[in-house]
Amino acid sequence: MEAQRILMVSPEVAPFKKVGGLADVVGALAKSLLARGHDVRILMPCYAGLVGFEGAEPLDDPLIVRLGGHEAYGRVWQQTLPGTAVPVYFIEHNQYFGAPGVYSGPSGIDADNGKRFAFLSRAAIDFCYQTDWIPDVVHCHDWPCGLIPVYLNTTEAEASMGRVATVFTIHNLQHHGWFHRSLLDFAGLPEWVFRSDGLESMGELNMLKGGLYHSTKITTVSPRYAAEVQTPEGGHGLNPLLHFRASDLIGVLNGVDTDEWDPQTDPVLPEPFSAEDLTGKAAAKAALQRAYGLEERPDVPLFTVVSRLAHQKGLDLLAGIVDRLLADMVVQIAVLGTGEPALESVFHELSARHPGRFGSYIGFDNERAHLTIAGGDCFVMPSRFEPCGLGQMYAMIYGSVPVVRATGGLIDTVVPYDERGSTGTGFVFEHPTEDALYYTIGWACATYYDRHEAFRQLQLNGMRGHYTWDVSAEKYEAVYGWARGARSAAF
Ligand code: ADP
Ligand code: GLC
């Protein structure tokens, strides 16, 4: 396929700034696209305290960002994505991005996110003009980029950026970006876009909705999620719109960056291991038990969690059964996460109540995440919904058998264990209830203790799966081509 010019815009990009899987995906996808010969560039905010920002260089000219009735100035810093030649452009603006928070800015007021991400969206467009690099496609990630397709269809309609196709990827439909309609004035967008088939939703401005209406093509991060978002249960109120746009919507499964996540090369592990030789996994388990103050017992099944502590993830279900699990079964549990304060404190209390058997670490720690995923026997994701999920794929690569709920990308990546032939890669349950999770962990536990060969086979099936980005990057190429075709047909 001919080389395409692709601008990725995202609020998070690993390793510079990461809240969740979105950051991993943008970096890894860009890397794969570059390897396939495309001219791919990434643009993101220059938050305070970016990881690995030291080598960045400022561009000579300030970026003039043309908002409604005024201009804002940003400085652009440039660096490459570590280990690659993908250029990353960081947009600096102290008022908007001068603090470390991604979804809460320097003022700490959520309403400011409207201005922060309107600025980012406009900056992405003005950056293209100013550097005289007009992409073939702008790839927008989640609600903070929602205004980009709206600008291209309105203020830019007669300009060169107006011909550029947009692909909007939904990583999580739950977060919309709701703001007062006065944001239109600030952004410099015409009043007419504030309508129910546009940016308006229940009298407010909904950035995600605007992006989904105005983008050329839409993707979700798994095929199953593409179907779920069109239902009332999975649509977060936007299901009618996504149903309406179904012929422009496709699910492309996320992959894994195996330069980052590979038990044979992972520097965080005490010893490397692989499907051919699992001995090093025992050392990872012992290190993990020490890191969480658990009894150092190789024989006890260890269930781990690495997650945002959000309602989506269903970890309240786990919290609700820990006492029962530890009373009924000989198991250990280790939780790494941060998020809702109530859940953080429940996990904290559980660690105090069950020393040596339940351990938690409240915080964001990438190295600990690697160890926690690698050293466990099973990895628990009882998500209420899951657009794709990366944790379960990382777990399978490291021989940790996932225990997941049958939803979204979890269904598309974890093959349910079938006892008759020891086929499958994980333990899957249907209903988001404490009992369903309790009995499924019990099933995993029974398999661990009573059917060693079957458990080992599950581990190996997962480790031998194919999770790399090659296939997905090829699908994105096709989506870009599809979007370009549709965009040029419109002129
Ligand atoms: P989501 O994007 O919804 O949070 P994913 O499974 O797609 O879920 O991605 C989560 C990513 O964030 C994974 O790379 C996981 O390892 C990482 N992660 C989540 N919580 C933490 C934490 N407390 N410390 C370090 N990494 C974390
Ligand atoms: C979102 C989703 C998660 C997905 C990630 C990367 O945060 O919650 O399921 O894996 O984005 O696409």
Side-chain angles (χ1 to χ4, degrees):
M1 179 177 259
E2 79 178 283
Q4 311 195 57
R5 291 182 300 266
I6 303 143
L7 178 68
M8 297 253 176
V9 186
S10 174
E12 339 170 6
V13 181
F16 304 111
K17 191 67 172 180
K18 170 166 167 178
V19 176
L22 165 60
D24 292 7
V25 167
V26 173
L29 172 59
K31 185 159 51 163
S32 294
L33 289 167
L34 182 86
R36 300 178 72 82
H38 300 291
D39 178 359
V40 53
R41 308 181 184 193
I42 299 177
L43 184 140
M44 67 175 290
C46 188
Y47 306 106
L50 291 174
V51 174
F53 184 68
E54 298 75 26
E57 301 273 350
L59 299 193
D60 290 339
D61 297 325
L63 179 67
I64 303 167
V65 181
R66 294 167 300 146
L67 292 155
H70 74 290
E71 289 175 344
Y73 293 84
R75 183 192 287 227
V76 183
W77 294 79
Q78 182 184 0
Q79 231 219 45
T80 48
L81 194 66
T84 77
V86 177
V88 184
Y89 299 97
F90 303 90
I91 309 297
E92 180 184 311
H93 190 290
N94 271 341
Q95 188 188 340
Y96 301 134
F97 303 127
V102 175
Y103 302 108
S104 92
S107 73
I109 300 166
D110 277 1
D112 273 6
N113 281 341
K115 290 184 177 170
R116 295 172 74 224
F117 292 117
F119 170 79
L120 179 73
S121 297
R122 184 70 239 180
I125 296 165
D126 286 325
F127 169 79
C128 294
Y129 290 126
Q130 229 174 284
T131 54
D132 205 12
W133 182 79
I134 303 298
D136 297 310
V137 178
V138 182
H139 191 163
C140 306
H141 295 271
D142 272 353
W143 70 265
C145 303
L147 295 187
I148 296 175
V150 186
Y151 278 120
L152 297 195
N153 283 352
T154 57
T155 57
E156 306 315 297
E158 305 300 323
S160 50
M161 284 300 286
R163 292 181 169 248
V164 174
T166 45
V167 170
F168 195 102
T169 294
I170 305 171
H171 293 264
N172 195 326
L173 195 64
Q174 185 177 26
H175 308 290
H176 289 195
W178 295 86
F179 305 101
H180 190 265
R181 66 179 295 174
S182 57
L183 188 65
L184 285 178
D185 284 346
F186 172 87
L189 284 167
E191 275 295 319
W192 67 262
V193 291
F194 193 73
R195 50 195 246 187
S196 61
D197 55 348
L199 276 163
E200 189 271 339
S201 194
M202 293 187 280
E204 297 280 307
L205 183 152
N206 182 324
M207 264 195 199
L208 177 62
K209 187 177 176 197
L212 294 176
Y213 256 111
H214 284 270
S215 52
T216 320
K217 298 290 173 192
I218 302 168
T219 71
T220 58
V221 285
S222 68
R224 180 63 65 123
Y225 196 56
E228 288 175 353
V229 294
Q230 296 178 55
T231 66
E233 298 74 33
H236 297 278
L238 293 176
N239 42 302
L241 158 57
L242 288 161
H243 191 60
F244 169 72
R245 293 222 57 191
S247 59
D248 294 315
L249 166 68
I250 188 170
V252 180
L253 197 63
N254 286 335
V256 169
D257 181 353
T258 44
D259 292 339
E260 273 297 308
W261 298 91
D262 178 352
Q264 298 186 69
T265 53
D266 193 329
V268 172
L269 303 189
E271 294 170 30
F273 60 88
S274 66
E276 284 61 52
D277 181 3
L278 269 168
T279 39
K281 189 162 164 85
K285 181 167 178 178
L288 168 56
Q289 287 168 324
R290 283 194 295 275
Y292 285 85
L294 300 172
E295 290 161 13
E296 235 178 278
R297 292 186 56 181
D299 54 322
V300 173
L302 171 51
F303 292 78
T304 69
V305 169
V306 177
S307 183
R308 290 185 291 116
L309 302 181
H311 183 73
Q312 168 193 348
K313 301 292 179 181
L315 291 165
D316 49 313
L317 304 176
L318 178 67
I321 58 169
V322 167
D323 291 333
R324 194 148 59 110
L325 279 173
L326 296 182
D328 298 350
M329 301 171 205
V330 182
V331 290
Q332 294 181 342
I333 304 169
V335 175
L336 168 63
T338 158
E340 289 170 11
L343 257 185
E344 291 186 349
S345 54
V346 171
F347 285 126
H348 207 69
E349 282 160 26
L350 286 166
S351 314
R353 194 146 74 236
H354 302 286
R357 299 191 62 203
F358 183 95
S360 63
Y361 183 93
I362 304 302
F364 196 92
D365 182 334
N366 190 42
E367 291 196 355
R368 189 177 275 263
H370 279 246
L371 184 63
T372 309
I373 288 170
D377 298 295
C378 288
F379 187 76
V380 184
M381 274 179 90
S383 307
R384 291 196 166 81
F385 72 94
E386 196 60 75
C388 179
L390 298 173
Q392 80 283 6
M393 288 195 268
Y394 299 155
M396 289 189 281
I397 288 174
Y398 285 78
S400 303
V401 181
V403 175
V404 302
R405 189 170 102 73
T407 182
L410 297 175
I411 307 185
D412 286 343
T413 53
V414 178
V415 182
Y417 171 39
D418 182 341
E419 294 187 338
R420 284 164 301 186
S422 290
T423 57
T425 58
F427 298 92
V428 181
F429 64 100
E430 286 287 330
H431 299 290
T433 62
E434 291 186 0
D435 277 346
L437 179 59
Y438 171 86
Y439 288 110
T440 308
I441 290 180
W443 180 26
C445 220
T447 311
Y448 179 93
Y449 279 118
D450 192 38
R451 292 187 291 281
H452 303 279
E453 280 313 309
F455 192 86
R456 176 55 56 100
Q457 193 56 52
L458 276 176
Q459 286 183 300
L460 296 179
N461 292 348
M463 292 179 92
R464 292 184 175 137
H466 184 85
Y467 312 98
T468 54
W469 266 102
D470 320 352
V471 176
S472 306
E474 197 177 335
K475 289 195 175 140
Y476 276 111
E477 269 177 8
V479 173
Y480 299 146
W482 186 36
R484 288 173 66 189
R487 193 70 173 167
S488 51
F491 285 93

